[in-house]
Amino acid sequence: MALRELSSLEKYLGLKKPNKYTTRGDKKIPVLQSSNGTQLVGLLTIACHLVKEAKRPELLGDSTERRALAQQWLEYRVTRLDGYSKEDVKNILQDLNLHLQDKVYLTGNQFTVADALMYYGVHPLIVDLSIQEKEQYVNVTRWFDHIQHYPGVRHHLPLVVVLRNTIYTGRHH
Amino acid sequence: MMKDGVQGATEEEQQAQSKKGLKKQQKEAEKAAKKAEKQAKQAADQQSSEEDDFAKHRYGVSAMVQSQEKLDRTLVQIQDLTPAKADQLVWLRARVHTSRAKGKQCFLVLRQQQFNVQALVAVGDRASKQMVKFAANITKESIVDVEASVRKVELKIESCSQQDVELHIERIFVISQAEPRLPLQLEDAVRPDGEGEEEGRATVNQDTKLDNRVIDLRTTTSQAIFRLQSGVCQLFRDTLTNKGFVEIQTPKIISAASEGGANVFTVSYFKTSAYLAQSPQLYKQMCICADFDKVFCVGPVFRAEDSNTHRHLTEFVGLDIEMAFNYHYHEVIESITDTMVQIFKGLRDNFQTEIQMVNKQYPSEPFKFLEPTLRLEYTEALAMLHEAGVEMGDEEDLSTPNEKLLGRLVKEKYDTDFYVLDKYPLAVRPFYTMPDPNNPKYSNSYDMFMRGEEILSGAQRVHDAQLLTERATHHQIDLEKIKAYIDSFRYGAPPHGGGGIGLERVCMLYLGLHNVRQTSMFPRDPKRLTP
């Protein structure tokens, strides 16, 4: 999962030659043997490294505030989303829905690598939602649909159908 | 040694017990004495009060009405109590909804069906202290005869249906006394879900309501629901009669299942067994073959499905239609949808009070429909579902969640709660369904939906004995058992179609309720046979 994600990220960043990854431990933490001989361990570390390699530092946030915010959501991704349980789903979606109420991207109005990695992480949750639930978490759905159509991000993941209009307005269900 | 010990213990115990017993006896004797004293005092009180009660002939418990006398007395209806009747002296019979004593006054809310009015007994030259006390002690739900003068009020009485007047009671007699403890409180039974939760007020759950249905049916909500249901039946009859339909009665004990054998009730019938009718299907078709042209039937229908859902009952009232048509079965669809539209219009125009009353407890959006009714084909519906991300096969039947989703999509696109879904796949319909001439995978059959839930299933029927035999064989039905049915098509049968509607479902979905038991007076489901 994490490896496919990293290779999709590489493609998005336009890196020409794909890196070779291995995994470590039960949780299959990704490991990258970099060209200068050092070992990079963990999804976030490798992702940040790839962004630097592609010379796209703005994807980590172009201001101190945005950098901190991006970092926060990247951490949310690996701490809350990886290995989520069924009971977590509702909380995660509520958190995210509230946060995205007045934002286009996670950090505001600029796409960062946090959007891509959160999209990869949240995808299995969204796939299972009914149309009614998607409407309930309307901000998440809007952000998700935007990211899945963001040029070059989706790659290995199937497109999720999202309705553009609300159909569950009334009390009746 | 051991034995002695045991004996000693028991003796001690006995002694202790007898001591206790003595004390107990003493106490009881004291109690009895006190009681006697109290009773004597009460009796004396009563006597003295009866002696100096000037109003004692103005109240009391009436002798049981055994039709001893024909009183020349006109009883008025609560709903007719308006300011126009101000200062008149009237008699009425009503239930005591609530009573509340306050010093020298006692306020009663008197109820007749869904209407209620405030009444007042106050100590004065018409009523004595004892009379007010008597009025305050009448148990809730008792039936009383009241003579009172109608008075206008300055401040509207918000809690009653008659807001502009109140009654000043001059006489009050109990006709039927209710037991003091009610199995459920009417106020609790009409409280909307969620409301009053913070005040810790009770709501009554559905099973308790149904266990005590007679009391639950007295609530304004129930009164409104079943008055509206009666309206549906009447509008159904009137509309169809105007269209030249004939009402028929069909047997409910039948020899063969009409729609697959799995979900029928078997009854023992002398030395053999019979079934309870799942629909009057075969009989209404035979009436068509017997030149009745257009028929309808209102009656019980039985389904032995062991499904405990919000919309399944094992016995419900079916409104069935069957009619001969000229060239195309859409003539039938138009006839049925027009009937439904007439019903919706009739309810909207004549039952607004009832709809509002139900809405107070169960809020819902007003029911919307189009004229003429929207007709979608099955393939179009599948395309809409596919667009919304639902994966399903071309010849697959609609699942309940997909049915509801489709209802939502249709509502969003066409703004209607009522539509027809036409051209179902042949494979999911009963054997007597006419195949589509253009595509044998489909059929000339249709369902109708209200708020995304099915209320009617219908089709053009096969009126050709040979094709019917073929289809029955294809469905592996024992031809011997449906011989009479197939034979009826051998001597000239007009092309015809029809459908059956569930009365309870129509009421439930029109009002936007969530459980079909709410619109069935005495519901029957796999777990409920009483009351």
Side-chain angles (χ1 to χ4, degrees):
Chain A
M1 172 69 202
L3 298 192
R4 295 183 65 185
E5 225 174 286
L6 284 169
S7 89
S8 287
L9 190 64
E10 280 177 3
K11 282 179 202 149
Y12 166 72
L13 292 168
L15 293 171
K16 285 280 154 26
K17 51 175 190 212
N19 288 301
K20 282 241 165 68
Y21 301 100
T22 51
T23 57
R24 179 188 289 177
D26 295 342
K27 289 185 175 172
K28 303 216 162 154
I29 294 166
V31 178
L32 169 65
Q33 197 73 43
S34 80
S35 47
N36 59 18
T38 51
Q39 245 188 9
L40 292 169
V41 183
L43 183 67
L44 302 189
T45 320
I46 299 172
C48 293
H49 169 77
L50 294 178
V51 169
K52 270 190 196 126
E53 206 169 278
K55 300 200 171 62
R56 303 274 301 276
E58 77 281 3
L59 286 177
L60 292 172
D62 56 4
S63 67
T64 323
E65 197 187 350
R66 203 175 310 248
R67 259 198 299 283
L69 212 45
Q71 208 58 42
Q72 186 188 309
W73 280 106
L74 286 170
E75 260 163 46
Y76 185 95
R77 155 69 216 264
V78 287
T79 52
R80 293 292 305 278
L81 265 180
D82 289 353
Y84 67 92
S85 69
K86 264 192 180 156
E87 298 85 67
D88 293 338
V89 172
K90 219 179 135 193
N91 286 333
I92 293 171
L93 291 171
Q94 267 168 0
D95 277 357
L96 206 51
N97 198 50
L98 198 67
H99 178 74
L100 286 166
Q101 204 167 18
D102 54 356
K103 292 176 189 68
V104 178
Y105 301 102
L106 285 172
T107 58
N109 52 15
Q110 240 161 31
F111 181 85
T112 63
V113 75
D115 289 295
L117 290 188
M118 274 298 283
Y119 159 74
Y120 295 143
V122 112
H123 193 280
L125 272 68
I126 303 286
V127 165
D128 287 340
L129 292 188
S130 70
I131 290 187
Q132 189 167 7
E133 287 165 318
K134 280 184 217 162
E135 196 167 305
Q136 190 186 342
Y137 305 112
V138 64
N139 302 316
V140 178
T141 309
R142 164 180 51 73
W143 163 83
F144 185 89
D145 194 35
H146 182 58
I147 304 299
Q148 74 175 351
H149 286 101
Y150 201 83
V153 175
R154 188 166 60 84
H155 287 297
H156 65 287
L157 293 170
L159 200 67
V160 174
V161 176
V162 168
L163 295 185
R164 292 296 175 92
N165 32 19
T166 53
I167 60 170
Y168 290 93
T169 43
R171 290 177 60 111
H172 201 81
H173 53 257
Chain B
M1 204 38 203
M2 283 277 280
K3 241 186 183 174
D4 275 5
V6 172
Q7 232 169 8
T10 48
E11 260 169 43
E12 257 173 51
E13 243 171 62
Q14 269 175 350
Q15 258 180 351
Q17 258 181 357
S18 66
K19 254 189 199 171
K20 261 190 201 168
L22 250 152
K23 259 192 191 169
K24 220 180 188 180
Q25 271 179 353
Q26 231 170 2
K27 257 191 188 169
E28 257 163 38
E30 270 171 42
K31 246 190 198 171
K34 263 189 190 168
K35 210 175 173 185
E37 205 178 306
K38 215 176 174 183
Q39 266 175 347
K41 203 180 161 195
Q42 243 176 6
D45 265 4
Q46 214 167 15
Q47 217 173 12
S48 68
S49 68
E50 260 170 41
E51 270 165 21
D52 53 325
D53 181 5
F54 64 89
K56 67 181 168 197
H57 58 285
R58 291 181 167 273
Y59 65 92
V61 177
S62 287
M64 186 193 296
V65 175
Q66 273 189 304
S67 309
Q68 304 91 325
E69 48 186 352
K70 291 184 182 175
L71 274 184
D72 190 20
R73 183 187 286 169
T74 324
L75 297 177
V76 296
Q77 293 294 308
I78 285 183
Q79 66 183 115
D80 298 333
L81 295 175
T82 54
K85 276 210 165 46
D87 299 321
Q88 286 182 24
L89 201 59
V90 296
W91 274 98
L92 71 147
R93 176 169 297 179
R95 274 188 198 279
V96 173
H97 187 61
T98 58
S99 72
R100 177 168 58 92
K102 211 177 156 193
K104 289 185 170 182
Q105 291 181 321
C106 174
F107 285 96
L108 302 164
V109 174
L110 299 179
R111 190 186 80 233
Q112 267 175 7
Q113 288 126 28
Q114 67 270 48
F115 304 102
N116 49 23
V117 66
Q118 176 169 288
L120 167 71
V121 197
V123 176
D125 53 350
R126 302 280 184 172
S128 60
K129 225 187 218 175
Q130 291 88 341
M131 179 168 164
V132 173
K133 201 173 161 196
F134 173 81
N137 283 333
I138 300 174
T139 47
K140 271 189 189 181
E141 295 301 298
S142 293
I143 298 173
V144 292
D145 271 7
V146 163
E147 189 190 31
S149 64
V150 184
R151 297 281 166 81
K152 270 197 231 175
V153 288
E154 282 170 17
L155 269 178
K156 276 192 186 246
I157 303 162
E158 298 287 346
S159 57
C160 289
S161 67
Q162 309 313 112
Q163 304 193 332
D164 303 313
V165 294
E166 66 176 6
L167 297 175
H168 287 214
I169 294 180
E170 306 209 339
R171 291 168 206 264
I172 182 163
F173 296 99
V174 175
I175 297 297
S176 169
Q177 205 154 16
E179 286 187 16
R181 283 176 70 95
L182 293 168
L184 58 92
Q185 300 298 321
L186 268 75
E187 293 82 28
D188 296 342
V190 296
R191 190 164 290 130
D193 279 346
E195 195 174 291
E197 249 168 30
E198 58 269 26
E199 298 133 75
R201 297 218 180 152
T203 50
V204 185
N205 71 28
Q206 178 147 293
D207 268 333
T208 315
K209 283 186 194 175
L210 295 182
D211 288 341
N212 303 288
R213 193 59 160 153
V214 173
I215 299 192
D216 177 50
L217 286 174
R218 293 179 189 169
T219 60
T220 47
T221 309
S222 299
Q223 288 283 324
I225 289 175
F226 291 102
R227 273 154 215 278
L228 183 122
Q229 188 171 80
S230 156
V232 173
C233 281
Q234 199 205 334
L235 288 161
F236 181 76
R237 282 204 169 91
D238 289 354
T239 313
L240 289 175
T241 310
N242 284 339
K243 286 178 189 286
F245 278 74
V246 180
E247 177 160 6
I248 57 165
Q249 306 294 340
T250 64
K252 305 304 170 203
I253 305 176
I254 57 170
S255 62
S258 60
E259 314 181 10
N263 54 359
V264 286
F265 286 109
T266 313
V267 292
S268 78
Y269 196 73
F270 303 110
K271 282 183 180 152
T272 125
S273 56
Y275 304 107
L276 292 181
Q278 296 158 299
S279 82
Q281 184 61 39
L282 310 187
Y283 293 94
K284 54 183 192 175
Q285 280 191 261
M286 289 195 258
C287 287
I288 298 295
C289 295
D291 283 352
F292 280 93
D293 202 31
K294 296 169 172 182
V295 296
F296 72 93
C297 169
V298 180
V301 173
F302 303 89
R303 297 285 156 91
E305 285 170 89
D306 194 5
S307 41
N308 294 288
T309 72
H310 75 284
R311 60 173 188 171
H312 283 94
L313 293 170
T314 49
E315 176 180 348
F316 59 92
V317 177
L319 308 173
D320 275 86
I321 301 177
E322 200 71 28
M323 65 179 271
F325 62 82
N326 298 332
Y327 296 105
H328 201 291
Y329 74 102
H330 282 178
E331 295 165 35
V332 181
I333 294 189
E334 274 154 31
S335 218
I336 299 178
T337 53
D338 182 61
T339 305
M340 293 307 294
V341 166
Q342 294 310 322
I343 293 176
F344 299 149
K345 278 187 178 171
L347 293 179
R348 182 192 63 194
D349 298 342
N350 304 325
F351 288 85
Q352 219 29 258
T353 333
E354 281 79 5
I355 295 170
Q356 298 306 331
M357 274 178 185
V358 177
N359 268 338
K360 241 190 234 172
Q361 186 175 3
Y362 302 106
S364 73
E365 289 170 36
F367 190 83
K368 287 193 168 170
F369 53 94
L370 297 174
E371 230 178 330
T373 304
L374 171 71
R375 190 180 61 81
L376 285 175
E377 294 208 351
Y378 200 74
T379 43
E380 293 176 71
L382 288 195
M384 281 171 80
L385 283 171
H386 187 76
E387 214 174 294
V390 175
E391 304 290 339
M392 61 180 280
D394 278 354
E395 288 183 72
E396 209 178 304
D397 205 357
L398 281 178
S399 66
T400 311
N402 284 344
E403 223 173 78
K404 287 189 177 177
L405 174 59
L406 182 64
R408 279 288 168 182
L409 295 168
V410 169
K411 170 95 191 238
E412 203 276 327
K413 193 167 174 184
Y414 301 97
D415 196 29
T416 175
D417 286 310
F418 178 61
Y419 70 97
V420 183
L421 195 52
D422 196 10
K423 296 279 175 208
Y424 268 69
L426 186 60
V428 304
R429 305 300 274 200
F431 73 97
Y432 47 74
T433 309
M434 182 66 87
D436 181 4
N438 303 316
N439 186 345
K441 275 210 280 186
Y442 292 96
S443 64
N444 291 349
S445 65
Y446 42 85
D447 275 7
M448 294 184 190
F449 294 88
M450 282 172 68
R451 302 202 205 243
E453 295 193 48
E454 184 228 301
I455 50 141
L456 174 142
S457 240
Q460 178 185 349
R461 329 290 187 186
V462 178
H463 60 279
D464 177 88
Q466 203 192 332
L467 179 58
L468 194 58
T469 315
E470 248 172 62
R471 296 298 308 160
T473 320
H474 181 82
H475 277 81
Q476 292 164 341
I477 291 169
D478 185 357
L479 290 176
E480 209 40 53
K481 280 192 175 164
I482 52 164
K483 191 170 178 299
Y485 172 64
I486 293 182
D487 281 349
S488 50
F489 298 100
R490 291 189 197 282
Y491 312 104
H496 63 282
I501 308 165
L503 173 65
E504 288 85 351
R505 275 198 196 176
V506 171
C507 294
M508 163 177 87
L509 295 165
Y510 184 83
L511 290 168
L513 300 175
H514 299 298
N515 197 308
V516 74
R517 287 162 191 78
Q518 291 173 312
T519 54
S520 173
M521 206 165 240
F522 298 103
R524 289 286 173 268
D525 63 37
K527 290 187 179 138
R528 181 175 290 278
L529 256 176
T530 54

